């Protein structure tokens, strides 16, 4: 995952918070997190266990709350 960097007018750089919504296979806990898997969901099969996506996959939302963190400008 690439970070988005916000550059403020004064030249300081900040990283914003991010969130991601991840679906996990009910059969093997494989996460639908690669472009191929996302493309196959929800009509294809889980590439790990070969079972078809059922629509009952566990969905978890992970929110990474990153307090604005200065990554440049240190004295
Ligand atoms: Zn699976």
């Amino acid at each position: 995952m690439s970070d988005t960097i916000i550059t403020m007018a004064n030249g300081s750089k900040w990283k914003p918070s991010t969130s991601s919504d991840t679906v996990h296979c009910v059969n093997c806990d494989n996460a639908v997190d690669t472009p191929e898997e996302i493309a196959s969901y929800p009509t294809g099969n889980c590439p790990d266990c070969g079972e078809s996506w059922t629509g009952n996959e566990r969905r978890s939302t992970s929110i990474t709350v990153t307090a604005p963190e200065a990554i440049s400008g240190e004295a």
Side-chain angles (χ1 to χ4, degrees):
M1 187 189 297
S2 62
D3 288 334
T4 299
I5 304 298
I6 298 172
T7 304
M8 303 301 280
N10 67 1
S12 62
K13 293 183 170 62
W14 305 81
K15 293 190 291 187
S17 302
T18 59
S19 69
S20 60
D21 198 21
T22 305
V23 172
H24 294 267
C25 179
V26 290
N27 297 300
C28 72
D29 284 347
N30 176 45
V32 184
D33 58 357
T34 68
E36 290 78 14
E37 288 166 350
I38 292 168
S40 78
Y41 187 83
T43 56
N45 298 323
C46 170
D48 264 31
C49 66
E51 299 289 332
S52 60
W53 302 116
T54 65
N56 293 319
E57 283 71 31
R58 288 182 294 107
R59 186 182 292 269
S60 62
T61 302
S62 62
I63 300 173
T64 304
V65 179
T66 307
E69 175 187 358
I71 56 174
S72 72
E74 278 185 274

